[in-house]
Amino acid sequence: MKHHLTSLAVAAFLACGGAAFAQSWPSGNIDYIVPYPPGGGTDVLARQLNDQIARKTGWNFVVLNVPGAGGTIGMDQLSRADANGQTIGMGQTSNLAVNPALNPEVKYDPQAGFTPIALVNTQPMGIITYNDSPYADFGAVLDAARAEPGSIMYGTPGTGTVSHMAVERLMLQGGLKFEHVPYTGIAQAISDVMGGVVDIYIGSLPSVMQHVEAGNVRLLAVTSLEPHPLAPDVPTVASLGFEGYQATDWKAVVGPAGMPEEAVTALNTAINEALADPDLRAALEAQGSVVLGGTAEEFKAYLAEEAATWAEVVRAAGLR
């Protein structure tokens, strides 16, 4: 993944008329759809990124929070917006790669329905257990699941979330059987895992690390391919006999299908420049993010791969 545009890419942008286009675009505010409520992780990230872009370009973003149905209501609205480059938004793993395969009522096509603009960041999941748990490490959890299928109860933020799909993928790859306990909020989930109501809980690494650092729970594993800087000594699931395994919550900027190429290039350039800013980069990394960026074409290929991966998990697991 290339994290910065090359000088050749910028030159190509200028050569194709991007400079002239930039004089007439954007024509006023840029509406920015966030498919979750204000104050959540996606909303905070979108505003951090937009503020940095606005400082460099003078563009004015108007964030429109359109929550509901796991982010699919906002994404559906975005897919039906005018493709003139004045409306964009932030999608992620769940509403661009998981829910369209999981829920037949989702109306948009995650690939044909959007214009890929740029990847922004990714965060792995963290798997935690209670302090007095008999499972010293995640290998012991796996051994217990193999010895007695269905004996391990795992909590997640809800059905169809990346956390849920991460365990479904784990079970498929390892021939395992866990029992799912979906929650609607992390507060009750953390309370239950601390009390041993569930054996393990899997959530975004930043959301569980504060409880790990407070000494309330123990972190057993992470779902990135490589060890994570927030927990460098904690093993990855992939290192425990699940070659190639990863499950991450990535976020990316998209627009309606058919956006002008010049708008995509201008936005992609601005996003990459913003993500290269040391202060923003440090802030995102402190939140547990791996900063991405790269070209729109790279994001398009990544989205196709992720959509295929999670659609196969949904199909193989018989989920609906």
Side-chain angles (χ1 to χ4, degrees), residues 5 14 60 67 104 113 135 138 150 159 186 210 218 233 256 275 284 286 293 315 318:
L5 292 179
L14 295 174
N60 186 48
Y135 309 113
F138 196 57
T159 301
I186 190 171
Q210 58 181 312
R218 291 190 287 114
D233 298 326
L275 292 175
L284 295 182
R315 185 203 64 77

Side-chain angles (χ1 to χ4, degrees), residues 198-246:
V198 293
D199 298 292
I200 58 175
Y201 174 80
I202 179 168
S204 68
L205 188 59
S207 73
V208 302
M209 278 305 296
Q210 58 181 312
H211 303 285
V212 174
E213 291 168 352
N216 296 325
V217 293
R218 291 190 287 114
L219 182 62
L220 298 178
V222 295
T223 64
S224 49
L225 271 178
E226 303 294 335
H228 195 276
L230 286 185
D233 298 326
V234 175
T236 66
V237 172
S239 70
L240 300 173
F242 293 80
E243 184 177 357
Y245 175 92
Q246 66 173 329

Side-chain angles (χ1 to χ4, degrees), residues 127-133 153-155 183 186-202 208 211 216-218:
I127 302 173
I128 59 175
T129 190
Y130 52 103
N131 287 330
D132 295 331
S133 167
M153 298 178 66
Y154 75 97
Y183 290 86
I186 190 171
Q188 184 60 50
I190 292 296
S191 176
D192 279 5
V193 75
M194 285 173 59
V197 176
V198 293
D199 298 292
I200 58 175
Y201 174 80
I202 179 168
V208 302
H211 303 285
N216 296 325
V217 293
R218 291 190 287 114

Side-chain angles (χ1 to χ4, degrees), residues 88-239:
I88 59 176
M90 181 167 283
Q92 51 266 104
T93 314
S94 60
N95 54 45
L96 285 176
V98 174
N99 285 334
L102 186 65
N103 184 358
E105 295 184 2
V106 171
K107 299 179 178 67
Y108 56 83
D109 184 314
Q111 296 176 75
F114 298 98
T115 297
I117 297 174
L119 280 163
V120 176
N121 74 327
T122 185
Q123 294 177 335
M125 304 295 108
I127 302 173
I128 59 175
T129 190
Y130 52 103
N131 287 330
D132 295 331
S133 167
Y135 309 113
D137 51 38
F138 196 57
V141 173
L142 297 172
D143 289 342
R146 294 185 182 106
E148 189 177 348
S151 63
I152 298 296
M153 298 178 66
Y154 75 97
T156 73
T159 301
T161 60
V162 179
S163 298
H164 174 213
M165 300 306 295
V167 180
E168 291 289 347
R169 183 176 184 179
L170 176 71
M171 290 192 295
L172 286 170
Q173 192 167 340
L176 301 169
K177 173 63 177 174
F178 291 22
E179 288 298 324
H180 185 205
V181 181
Y183 290 86
T184 56
I186 190 171
Q188 184 60 50
I190 292 296
S191 176
D192 279 5
V193 75
M194 285 173 59
V197 176
V198 293
D199 298 292
I200 58 175
Y201 174 80
I202 179 168
S204 68
L205 188 59
S207 73
V208 302
M209 278 305 296
Q210 58 181 312
H211 303 285
V212 174
E213 291 168 352
N216 296 325
V217 293
R218 291 190 287 114
L219 182 62
L220 298 178
V222 295
T223 64
S224 49
L225 271 178
E226 303 294 335
H228 195 276
L230 286 185
D233 298 326
V234 175
T236 66
V237 172
S239 70

